[in-house]
């Protein structure tokens, strides 16, 4: 299913904001149906029922219009993310986020490419950063469960690089010949790199003593921000020791 507008209550916006929203939505629809080459100032203006100079008055230039489309895409992407639930299995929660990312990219290939290549507006960057924060929290929950075997930032970087790389690879393939099993193989590879093994019951398998010390350090490191028994200086020092152990 292609990306479609989900905004409501636009009637409360000022006329200029309403027109800006309309132009962004029109540009997003043209991007989805006609590709990047179909998004010109003339085509957007014509579809929105305004004169082309209006786009320049509102956005400044076409690049800023595209940046606003990317921002709108990030907002839609964030709206699809499941809220974090403390009772969720942390590894399953991480996996669901992976497949949401892949699915969004395959459903919105031109928009996904724009979101990952456009120079973002400040609001767009803020929303994109919020998405990164959700991923970091998912990874921290895996660490707090004793299932993370690498530093949380390394896990975040690997997941983001692998996930976005898989989407770009798949959307560059002809749709009829697309190998969507690549997403499964990539996820398995990521898991083998960042997670401790699990038994058939789903519980973590106890690693060798040296490796166990590293996993324990990562687990405690993830919980460190919530430990109130330490001063900020003590927490920083302990964090440094745990990083060295991990």
């Amino acid at each position: 299913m292609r990306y479609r507008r989900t905004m409501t209550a636009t009637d409360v916006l000022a006329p200029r904001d309403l027109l800006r929203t309309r132009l962004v939505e029109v540009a997003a629809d043209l991007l989805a149906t006609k590709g990047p080459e179909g998004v010109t100032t003339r085509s957007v203006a014509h579809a929105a029922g305004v004169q082309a100079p209006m786009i320049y008055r509102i956005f400044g230039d076409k690049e800023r219009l595209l940046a606003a489309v990317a921002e709108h895409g990030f907002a839609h992407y964030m709206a699809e993310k499941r809220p974090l639930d403390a009772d969720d299995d942390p590894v399953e929660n991480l996996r669901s986020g992976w497949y949401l990312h892949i699915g969004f990219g395959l459903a919105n290939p031109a928009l996904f490419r724009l979101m990952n290549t456009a120079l973002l507006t400040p609001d767009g960057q803020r929303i994109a950063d919020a998405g990164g924060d959700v991923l970091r929290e998912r990874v921290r929950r895996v660490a707090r469960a004793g299932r993370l075997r690498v530093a949380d930032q390394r896990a975040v970087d690997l997941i983001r690089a692998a996930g976005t790389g898989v989407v770009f690879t798949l959307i560059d393939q002809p749709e009829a010949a697309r190998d969507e099993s690549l997403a499964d193989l990539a996820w398995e590879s990521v898991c083998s790199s960042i997670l401790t093994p699990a038994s058939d019951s789903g519980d973590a398998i106890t690693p060798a003593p040296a490796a166990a010390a590293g996993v324990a350090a990562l687990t405690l490191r993830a919980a460190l921000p919530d430990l109130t028994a330490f001063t900020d200086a003590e927490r920083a020092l302990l964090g440094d020791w745990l990083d060295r152990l991990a």
Side-chain angles (χ1 to χ4, degrees):
M1 181 182 295
R2 285 200 179 96
Y3 162 72
R4 288 292 184 269
R5 144 173 105 86
T6 57
M7 183 174 292
T8 59
T10 53
D11 55 314
V12 303
L13 298 176
R16 182 183 178 88
D17 291 333
L18 279 171
L19 179 56
R20 185 184 189 279
T21 298
R22 170 68 177 154
L23 290 168
V24 169
E25 291 168 350
V26 166
D29 193 60
L30 287 171
L31 182 66
T33 56
K34 300 183 181 301
E37 64 280 357
V39 185
T40 65
T41 53
R42 179 171 295 186
S43 66
V44 172
H46 177 75
V50 301
Q51 297 297 315
M54 182 62 70
I55 293 178
Y56 294 97
R57 283 199 286 273
I58 292 178
F59 296 99
D61 55 30
K62 178 185 171 182
E63 292 307 311
R64 293 180 188 177
L65 169 61
L66 291 175
V69 173
E71 174 190 328
H72 205 47
F74 275 113
H76 181 67
Y77 174 68
M78 286 297 294
E80 290 190 1
K81 281 183 175 287
R82 287 179 55 223
L84 292 171
D85 189 329
D87 295 329
D88 283 350
D89 176 84
V91 175
E92 177 59 26
N93 199 286
L94 193 62
R95 189 191 74 85
S96 70
W98 167 274
Y99 283 104
L100 183 148
H101 184 79
I102 302 296
F104 182 89
L106 294 183
N108 306 280
L111 178 61
F112 184 89
R113 194 180 295 280
L114 177 66
M115 288 164 57
N116 286 276
T117 56
L119 182 63
L120 297 178
T121 64
D123 282 344
Q125 188 61 59
R126 176 182 54 79
I127 299 171
D129 290 344
D133 290 341
V134 171
L135 175 57
R136 284 186 194 87
E137 181 55 27
R138 292 183 195 275
V139 168
R140 289 191 189 106
R141 290 186 177 200
V142 171
R144 288 195 285 268
R147 293 294 312 278
L148 198 66
R149 66 191 300 174
V150 300
D152 55 356
Q153 187 57 51
R154 173 165 288 191
V156 167
D157 290 343
L158 180 58
I159 293 168
R160 295 181 74 171
T164 299
V166 165
V167 174
F168 276 133
T169 298
L170 291 178
I171 64 180
D172 283 340
Q173 294 175 350
E175 190 167 354
R178 186 172 288 165
D179 179 13
E180 296 191 13
S181 67
L182 183 65
D184 300 326
L185 292 171
W187 174 244
E188 291 171 7
S189 179
V190 168
C191 287
S192 69
S193 298
I194 69 172
L195 299 180
T196 58
S199 66
D200 292 340
S201 66
D203 296 328
I205 296 174
T206 302
V215 172
L218 287 167
T219 304
L220 183 55
R221 184 71 175 85
L224 193 57
D226 300 322
L227 301 181
T228 59
F230 301 105
T231 66
D232 289 343
E234 290 169 339
R235 193 177 291 108
L237 179 59
L238 179 55
D240 182 56
W241 289 344
L242 292 171
D243 287 340
R244 290 164 63 184
L245 271 175

